[in-house]
Amino acid sequence: MAVSGFEGFEKRLELRFSTTNNNPMGLRLIDFESLDQVLNEVQCTVVSAVANHSFDAYVLSESSLFVYPTKIIIKTCGTTQLLKSIRPFIHLARTLSLTLRACRYSRGSFIFPKAQPFPYTSFKDEVVIVEESLPNSLRYRKASVMTPSNNNNNHSRAWHVFTASADVAPDEPLVVVEVCMTELDRVNVRSFFRRKGDGKNSDSAGKEMTRLSGIDMINANAFICDFAFDPCGYSMNGVDGDRYSTIHVTPEDGFSYASFECGLSLYDDGHGDISEVLTRAIDVFRPDCVSVATTYGGEDYDHEVTKRVERVLAKKLGLKCRSRLVDEFPGSGTVVFQSFTPRRKYYSPEGGEQ
Amino acid sequence: MGSNVSSVHDVPSSVENKNGLVVEIESRRQWRSVFDSMKVSNKLVHIYKLVIDFTAAWCGPCKAMEPRVKEIVSRYPEAVFARVDVDKLMDVAGTYRANTLPAFVFMKRGEEIDRVVGAKPDELQN
């Protein structure tokens, strides 16, 4: 591991609103100048964007922003001040007669925790800041640090979740899958470095990376809005009907990181089932360390799905599940957190391989 | 001869303006005259290069792109930029499969030669 470098691990914020008016566009009516101002507070900007009938998708200098009629998802990496966006978003929504009814803040464990500014130096401090920004109407609150209890310190990254909700019953129809990958395969990761003198701009270089890496095959139906950073790094938002997906890559050796996130339905309705989607996404990077956090918002949690994901990843990618944790969040549903490392390469504390 | 002259009058005069403006297409009739002006080899008005800018009132990403579009328009005075609201002219949007916005369709002599989808200022320039 490098001593210092770019922090790939993202902070993720999801805000869900209910409408007291009948405008089907909801939050999408927030004018772009106002959105830009909020992003300024967070210390990031829009580098590429696309919209369809269901939602707006923005690729940011540090990750992504999705705006649905009653939901905002914002995910930022590096040393951004994500939590500063909560109050402005709530205010902007209120001007459109939209009331906040649920909030979820989640993140993995930073590769360089000491490089983070306050309050991101401790999850307890982050939770205090989030709570201060939320209205009292969000009565049902829970903070949890899901820590794998295996022996391997190098690979036991915890998953942090804070949820707050006005109702006990979860209502999000889609399942959200958040995949964090480190120690990416050095050959696979070469696609995400820009070739010197390629004569391309960021967008056509991004398109090339999407194609070369095989990211375009994860969901062949999706329209991909991609962006290549200089001298390396890659981001994309996928748009497929009302389904979003997003990938961010920090390819540098010593702190390589890639994330994959998508919202999907458990029922294979032509979009590919969760195990297949995960396999294709993880296969692009062939990481030595993967964690998968799945949030079953409104669906009745089915343990069979969790076991199937483990079976498929083991069979197709040789990834062994080292730990599995399950927790319930009022208003947000069940969260399952799984950690995987390749079967042939499990480092024991003594340094030997198993 | 007479009908050609009247179709010329239907095209907004901004088309002849050398400074390159974005023409807002308000009606199907207006769209038809712009489209036909590409095909008819007419010495008075012939739109050789047309860029169709598909947008919508609800499209945040379209607005994110707007300042850059204005900048690019002023740099290419020989092309006509026609802005089409996909909700107002649904069939035109359908013909050009403009489901993901913003979408810029490049037409030369009435044929589509390229398109750029998404707010990507750099790619639009090329």
Side-chain angles (χ1 to χ4, degrees):
Chain A
M1 277 286 149
V3 172
S4 76
F6 187 76
E7 182 61 66
F9 273 92
E10 295 104 340
K11 304 155 181 126
R12 183 189 187 276
L13 181 70
E14 181 175 316
L15 299 169
R16 299 198 295 277
F17 297 81
S18 62
T19 168
T20 57
N21 64 35
N22 284 319
N23 195 315
M25 296 307 302
L27 295 162
R28 300 179 75 188
L29 292 172
I30 297 175
D31 63 288
F32 181 68
E33 288 70 31
S34 302
L35 276 184
D36 208 17
Q37 269 171 6
V38 180
L39 294 177
N40 227 16
E41 288 285 307
V42 175
Q43 288 159 4
C44 56
T45 53
V46 173
V47 300
S48 193
V50 106
N52 71 2
H53 286 280
S54 303
F55 67 106
D56 301 324
Y58 299 89
V59 178
L60 308 176
S61 50
E62 325 254 350
S63 292
S64 294
L65 166 68
F66 299 96
V67 182
Y68 283 81
T70 55
K71 179 173 68 178
I72 290 176
I73 297 170
I74 178 169
K75 189 165 166 158
T76 62
C77 58
T79 51
T80 45
Q81 293 277 3
L82 181 63
L83 299 179
K84 286 196 173 164
S85 67
I86 301 181
R87 272 192 244 260
F89 277 140
I90 294 177
H91 170 75
L92 287 168
R94 213 175 275 136
T95 65
L96 295 168
S97 305
L98 289 157
T99 324
L100 183 69
R101 64 183 162 83
C103 164
R104 185 159 84 90
Y105 175 65
S106 59
R107 66 166 173 86
S109 299
F110 297 120
I111 299 174
F112 304 109
K114 294 203 178 81
Q116 291 291 322
F118 178 84
Y120 309 96
T121 36
S122 122
F123 188 58
K124 277 203 179 83
D125 290 335
E126 288 158 85
V127 171
V128 167
I129 298 290
V130 176
E131 295 217 85
E132 278 173 2
S133 314
L134 299 178
N136 293 335
S137 52
L138 270 59
R139 292 173 284 174
Y140 302 97
R141 304 183 178 196
K142 176 165 172 173
S144 176
V145 181
M146 300 168 80
T147 313
S149 57
N150 54 25
N151 295 330
N152 191 339
N153 285 327
N154 265 346
H155 297 278
S156 57
R157 289 214 137 81
W159 186 250
H160 307 76
V161 187
F162 170 80
T163 61
S165 174
D167 307 300
V168 150
D171 53 6
E172 175 61 59
L174 291 181
V175 171
V176 175
V177 182
E178 294 166 75
V179 183
C180 302
M181 298 169 267
T182 51
E183 294 167 60
L184 312 180
D185 181 279
R186 297 315 307 160
V187 172
N188 287 29
V189 108
R190 274 191 224 153
S191 319
F192 303 103
F193 285 84
R194 290 198 61 170
R195 289 179 292 116
K196 280 192 170 47
D198 60 9
K200 286 189 187 318
N201 58 37
S202 320
D203 300 298
S204 34
K207 247 197 201 85
E208 194 182 49
M209 290 183 183
T210 301
R211 204 177 35 87
L212 284 178
S213 60
I215 283 175
D216 55 352
M217 297 317 294
I218 298 173
N219 176 1
N221 282 339
F223 173 85
I224 308 248
C225 183
D226 43 33
F227 193 87
F229 293 89
D230 212 351
C232 62
Y234 168 91
S235 283
M236 80 73 145
N237 286 339
V239 167
D240 178 11
D242 66 348
R243 309 281 170 91
Y244 75 96
S245 60
T246 182
I247 291 179
H248 300 279
V249 187
T250 302
E252 293 99 316
D253 197 10
F255 48 96
S256 67
Y257 173 85
S259 66
F260 169 76
E261 175 183 335
C262 69
L264 44 67
S265 166
L266 287 182
Y267 311 103
D268 181 6
D269 46 0
H271 288 92
D273 90 330
I274 184 175
S275 307
E276 279 169 32
V277 172
L278 283 176
T279 302
R280 277 182 238 137
I282 297 171
D283 199 25
V284 166
F285 303 97
R286 299 224 157 228
D288 271 352
C289 189
V290 189
S291 73
V292 180
T294 313
T295 305
Y296 296 86
E299 304 277 344
D300 290 324
Y301 174 61
D302 182 357
H303 198 55
E304 284 309 310
V305 176
T306 297
K307 291 198 285 185
R308 185 175 143 75
V309 164
E310 288 166 19
R311 278 200 307 273
V312 172
L313 290 184
K315 181 169 166 202
K316 295 206 173 162
L317 299 178
L319 288 169
K320 187 159 157 55
C321 184
R322 304 297 176 179
S323 91
R324 182 211 297 153
L325 299 165
V326 182
D327 206 348
E328 292 287 331
F329 293 81
S332 279
T334 308
V335 172
V336 178
F337 180 59
Q338 296 152 299
S339 303
F340 302 83
T341 56
R343 192 184 282 115
R344 55 173 172 81
K345 245 182 168 191
Y346 180 56
Y347 298 100
S348 69
E350 294 77 40
E353 288 189 25
Q354 293 173 27
Chain B
M1 210 49 184
S3 58
N4 273 356
V5 170
S6 64
S7 71
V8 164
H9 286 311
D10 283 342
V11 174
S13 58
S14 53
V15 161
E16 300 154 41
N17 188 318
K18 286 290 176 199
N19 288 336
L21 292 178
V22 180
V23 179
E24 299 278 347
I25 307 295
E26 298 289 324
S27 68
R28 202 170 286 120
R29 197 166 79 116
Q30 198 182 357
W31 165 254
R32 267 258 76 83
S33 49
V34 167
F35 188 78
D36 289 344
S37 306
M38 282 195 287
K39 297 184 146 183
V40 173
S41 178
N42 181 324
K43 287 200 181 75
L44 287 175
V45 177
H46 181 205
I47 302 177
Y48 182 60
K49 283 183 197 164
L50 175 74
V51 182
I52 316 172
D53 171 8
F54 286 100
T55 183
W58 41 260
C59 181
C62 299
K63 296 195 181 68
M65 187 60 170
E66 221 161 284
R68 290 289 282 130
V69 171
K70 285 203 172 88
E71 193 193 324
I72 289 162
V73 162
S74 60
R75 263 189 267 163
Y76 297 96
E78 74 276 13
V80 173
F81 285 74
R83 179 166 289 149
V84 174
D85 183 317
V86 303
D87 293 319
K88 286 194 188 144
L89 280 108
M90 277 189 271
D91 48 352
V92 177
T95 307
Y96 290 92
R97 294 164 290 115
N99 297 315
T100 309
L101 303 181
F104 300 88
V105 177
F106 297 81
M107 311 281 288
K108 203 161 157 184
R109 293 201 207 92
E111 299 281 315
E112 178 178 337
I113 54 165
D114 202 1
R115 71 165 59 196
V116 172
V117 182
K120 301 185 156 194
D122 286 343
E123 213 173 310
L124 192 63
Q125 226 166 313
N126 293 341

